[in-house]
C-alpha cells in the first residue's frame, strides 16, 4: 500500500490544489449517517415501515445510481423519495464538521501561495448547507460542483469542463480525494500529483489504498 509523508509532496512543483470536499476536508461521517440512518428513518416513518424494511427498499435504488450524477443530486432524490432532503440536511447540520487538521492544512497551503479549489460532486444545495455551517467557502479560492457541468467527477468530460472553467496545468496540479474512481479519472486526464485519503470517515478505520499514494488525512501535510 503506497504511503506518503508530508516531505513527499514537492510544493515547489505544485501551483494548484484541487480538493474534494466530503471525505477530504469535511468528515464523511455526516454523509454516511445521513444516507444510511437519517433518510431510512424518515422514509420509514412517512411510509409506515420498519427502519429495516426502509433500508431494504432504498438500498437497491441508491446502488443503481452509484457513479452517476443522480447519485449526488439532491433534486433527483427529493423527487424520487418525496422528501425535502435539503431541509433534512439542515435539520441534522450539527453533524457536519471538518476532518482533523483540515482548516490548518488549508491555511498552510494558502500561506505557500497555492490556489485552492474545491471540486465536489455535491449538489449546490448540499454545498450551501455545509458552507453555511462550516464557512468552508471562505477558506478556498474557488468552488466547483460537478452539477455545474452536468457530469460527475468520475467522467473525463468533467475534467475537460473544469480546465475550461478553472484553467490549471495538469503537470503542476495536486488532487487530494477519497474516491479512487475519481482519482483514476483525473490520472487518465493527466493530473500529475494526487493523494488518496485513507480515513474519509473519522469514525471508521483507515482503508487500504492500492494504486495511489495515500495519507490518513490532510493533517499529515501541515
Amino acid at each position: 500500500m503506497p504511503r506518503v509523508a508530508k516531505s513527499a509532496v514537492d510544493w515547489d512543483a505544485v501551483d494548484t490544489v484541487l480538493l474534494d470536499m466530503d471525505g477530504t476536508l469535511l468528515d464523511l461521517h455526516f454523509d454516511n449517517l445521513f444516507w444510511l440512518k437519517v433518510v431510512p428513518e424518515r422514509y420509514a416513518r412517512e411510509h409506515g415501515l420498519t427502519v429495516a424494511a426502509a433500508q431494504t427498499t432504498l438500498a437497491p435504488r441508491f446502488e443503481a445510481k452509484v457513479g452517476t450524477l443522480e447519485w449526488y443530486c439532491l433534486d433527483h432524490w427529493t423527487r424520487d423519495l418525496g422528501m425535502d432532503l435539503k431541509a433534512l440536511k439542515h435539520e441534522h447540520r450539527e453533524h457536519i464538521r471538518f476532518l482533523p487538521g483540515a482548516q490548518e492544512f488549508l491555511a498552510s497551503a494558502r500561506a505557500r501561495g497555492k490556489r485552492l479549489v474545491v471540486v465536489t460532486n455535491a449538489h449546490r444545495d448540499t454545498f450551501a448547507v455545509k458552507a453555511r455551517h462550516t464557512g468552508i467557502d471562505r477558506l478556498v479560492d474557488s468552488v466547483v460542483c460537478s452539477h455545474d457541468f452536468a457530469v460527475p467527477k468520475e467522467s473525463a468530460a468533467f475534467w475537460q469542463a473544469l480546465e475550461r472553467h478553472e484553467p490549471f496545468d495538469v503537470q503542476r496540479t495536486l488532487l487530494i480525494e477519497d474516491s479512487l474512481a475519481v482519482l483514476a479519472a483525473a490520472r487518465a486526464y493527466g493530473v500529475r500529483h494526487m493523494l488518496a485519503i485513507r480515513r474519509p470517515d473519522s469514525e471508521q478505520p483507515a482503508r487500504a489504498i492500492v494504486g495511489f499514494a495515500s495519507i490518513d488525512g490532510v493533517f499529515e501535510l501541515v
Side-chain angles (χ1 to χ4, degrees), residues 1 13 17 44 50 57 62 74 76 82 95 98 103 107 124 141-142 146 153 164 176 198 208 219:
M1 176 177 65
V17 184
T50 65
T57 298
F62 291 158
L74 217 57
H76 168 79
H95 297 288
F98 281 99
Q103 292 155 291
R124 277 285 173 184
D141 297 297
S142 182
S146 61
K153 292 189 296 181
R164 289 193 298 269
I176 309 179
R198 290 193 294 266
F219 65 88

Side-chain angles (χ1 to χ4, degrees), residues 41-118:
E41 286 179 349
R42 182 63 60 90
Y43 189 87
R45 191 169 76 196
E46 293 186 359
H47 292 270
L49 302 171
T50 65
V51 174
Q55 290 170 330
T56 299
T57 298
L58 295 175
R61 288 160 71 173
F62 291 158
E63 187 174 344
K65 296 298 182 180
V66 170
T68 71
L69 193 66
E70 286 84 0
W71 167 243
Y72 305 102
C73 184
L74 217 57
D75 292 335
H76 168 79
W77 293 116
T78 292
R79 291 190 301 268
D80 188 78
L81 304 179
M83 297 162 57
D84 187 343
L85 295 180
K86 182 178 180 181
L88 194 59
K89 287 196 173 192
H90 183 73
E91 185 181 323
H92 292 271
R93 64 191 180 280
E94 71 276 6
H95 297 288
I96 300 170
R97 57 178 178 256
F98 281 99
L99 280 163
Q103 292 155 291
E104 292 80 2
F105 165 73
L106 292 173
S108 68
R110 177 168 275 179
R112 293 177 185 271
K114 309 309 174 185
R115 181 164 179 80
L116 306 179
V117 182
V118 167

